[in-house]
Amino acid sequence: MNSIAISVSRFRLASRSGWVERLPHFISLAKPRVMALALFAAFVGLMIAPARPDPVSSFIAILAIAAGAGAAGALNMWYDADIDAVMARTAMRPIPRGKVSKVEALVFGLVLGVIAVTSLASATNLAAAALLAGTILFYAVVYTVWLKRATRHNIVIGGAAGALPPMIGWAAATGQTGLEPLALFLIIFLWTPPHFWALALNRTDDYARAGVPMLPVVAGRAATTRQILIYSGLTALASELPWGLGFAGAIYGVIASICGAVFFLLALQLNRSVGADRRSAHRLFVFSISHLFLLFATLLVDHNGGSFAPTRLSHDDRASVSPSAARQSSATRKSCTFKVREA
């Protein structure tokens, strides 16, 4: 009996130890670096909304959005396991290395997605949950299964999935979307092609070997750099929308102008570079990450540091106070603040 008990105990310990050892591989399936930027954008959308859930609901909402992003990443790796195995950039992912099976990745992604959507619905509202579910499906099905291997416009159309997080955060706070989160969506949507194409320029052989019709593969470097220049200019213009629409102040407007100018100049430098120059594409790719983070960080500080502070609503309050009423309340406070300063 003692030997049986010891054997069972050792089996449990070995099983538990195996799961602990494999945990980093499942975390890798969630694409944590990609998730971090999307999660920050969602957090900003939540924080600058005219009404805000209570702290507990806000925390659950952020965790749910992170889980949703992780689910989309896991489902992407499940379907793309064949091309990940032949690309140098992705060959060390968990499935190609045999650390996680395709079935495990599929189950992990599906379960995580269901938990994310249901948690967001219970903590906030159905509108936010529906947007999160749509984002997961768009990235996993429309982009990964269909667009990525079918058209050179894959990253342009598919970029909509990565641009939705601030709208999800806003909807979690207010129960609906509006012009403000749509402006944030547009910034990320236009930013995605030059950001990704700058990376793809230095990975053309990888994509060609995998049979993925990324723009540099099917159209060449010159055409790609021209498109990068166009989208960089559009991104710079869209970045001014929060200031132009009045939900960001002068500090944001100045930072957005500077970042937009640098982004466009780096794109112009890339467009004028020779084919063998890999540094200009890498510089643009690296700056594009900093550019988006700085924009949203400045928007968060500028918005909450001025007279734009949102109303905090409890879970019960959200059922009885409409988003328009919360927005009107915020506008009233801004008006009152102005009158006090004027006096």
Side-chain angles (χ1 to χ4, degrees), residues 50-51 170 174 176-178 180 322-332:
W170 184 282
T174 66
Q176 66 178 26
T177 59
E180 297 93 336
S322 68
S324 59
R327 194 176 292 115
Q328 183 177 6
S329 173
S330 178
T332 301

Side-chain angles (χ1 to χ4, degrees), residues 4-339:
I4 293 175
I6 292 172
S7 298
V8 171
S9 177
R10 286 178 177 174
F11 173 77
R12 288 175 178 174
L13 287 173
S15 177
R16 191 175 304 168
S17 175
W19 275 107
V20 171
E21 290 177 359
R22 299 181 71 206
L23 182 60
H25 303 305
F26 281 94
I27 293 175
S28 296
L29 283 178
K31 296 187 176 181
R33 287 186 296 179
V34 176
M35 179 203 297
L37 197 56
L39 189 60
F40 182 62
F43 175 74
V44 172
L46 176 71
M47 296 297 289
I48 71 171
R52 189 181 305 159
D54 60 83
V56 174
S57 297
S58 297
F59 181 69
I60 295 174
I62 292 300
L63 287 181
I65 295 170
L75 293 173
N76 171 267
M77 286 200 193
W78 159 72
Y79 191 81
D80 278 351
D82 58 333
I83 62 175
D84 283 349
V86 299
M87 293 180 63
R89 184 174 70 89
T90 56
M92 296 305 291
R93 284 177 173 176
I95 299 177
R97 290 173 61 199
K99 301 298 182 180
V100 177
S101 71
K102 288 192 66 175
V103 173
E104 288 174 324
L106 175 61
V107 173
F108 176 70
L110 291 175
V111 171
L112 194 60
V114 171
I115 293 173
V117 173
T118 54
S119 298
L120 189 60
S122 62
T124 59
N125 55 73
L126 291 177
L131 276 173
L132 181 59
T135 301
I136 297 171
L137 289 173
F138 194 92
Y139 185 76
V141 178
V142 177
Y143 170 69
T144 302
V145 175
W146 176 34
L147 294 172
K148 185 172 182 178
R149 307 183 190 215
T151 173
R152 69 175 68 183
H153 304 296
N154 47 19
I155 203 64
V156 177
I157 304 170
L164 282 169
M167 296 187 72
I168 299 171
W170 184 282
T174 66
Q176 66 178 26
T177 59
L179 193 59
E180 297 93 336
L182 187 60
L184 302 184
F185 168 89
L186 187 61
I187 292 171
I188 303 177
F189 181 75
L190 293 171
W191 166 90
T192 301
H195 162 75
F196 205 90
W197 285 333
L199 171 67
L201 278 171
N202 288 339
R203 303 283 183 176
T204 304
D205 293 341
D206 248 5
Y207 286 111
R209 185 165 54 250
V212 178
M214 204 59 66
L215 187 64
V217 176
V218 298
R221 179 184 176 89
T224 302
T225 58
R226 283 196 300 271
Q227 290 297 312
I228 288 175
L229 185 62
I230 292 170
Y231 275 94
S232 297
L234 293 174
T235 302
L237 292 175
S239 298
E240 296 292 344
L241 283 174
W243 175 77
L245 292 173
F247 67 99
I251 296 175
Y252 172 85
V254 171
I255 296 297
S257 297
I258 294 172
C259 287
V262 173
F263 196 24
F264 184 77
L265 287 175
L266 286 174
L268 184 63
Q269 184 182 53
L270 173 61
N271 183 245
R272 293 176 174 175
S273 65
V274 296
D277 182 14
R278 298 170 60 90
R279 292 174 299 175
S280 55
H282 182 69
R283 276 195 298 267
L284 179 61
F285 172 74
V286 172
F287 177 78
S288 65
I289 301 173
S290 304
H291 170 255
L292 193 65
F293 176 81
L294 186 57
L295 275 185
F296 276 75
T298 305
L299 177 61
L300 181 63
V301 173
D302 194 25
H303 192 279
N304 288 336
S307 56
F308 301 95
T311 303
R312 175 164 286 144
L313 298 178
S314 68
H315 193 276
D316 294 334
D317 291 333
R318 289 197 305 276
S320 58
V321 179
S322 68
S324 59
R327 194 176 292 115
Q328 183 177 6
S329 173
S330 178
T332 301
R333 283 196 309 277
K334 286 192 285 182
S335 176
C336 291
T337 304
F338 176 76
K339 288 178 181 178

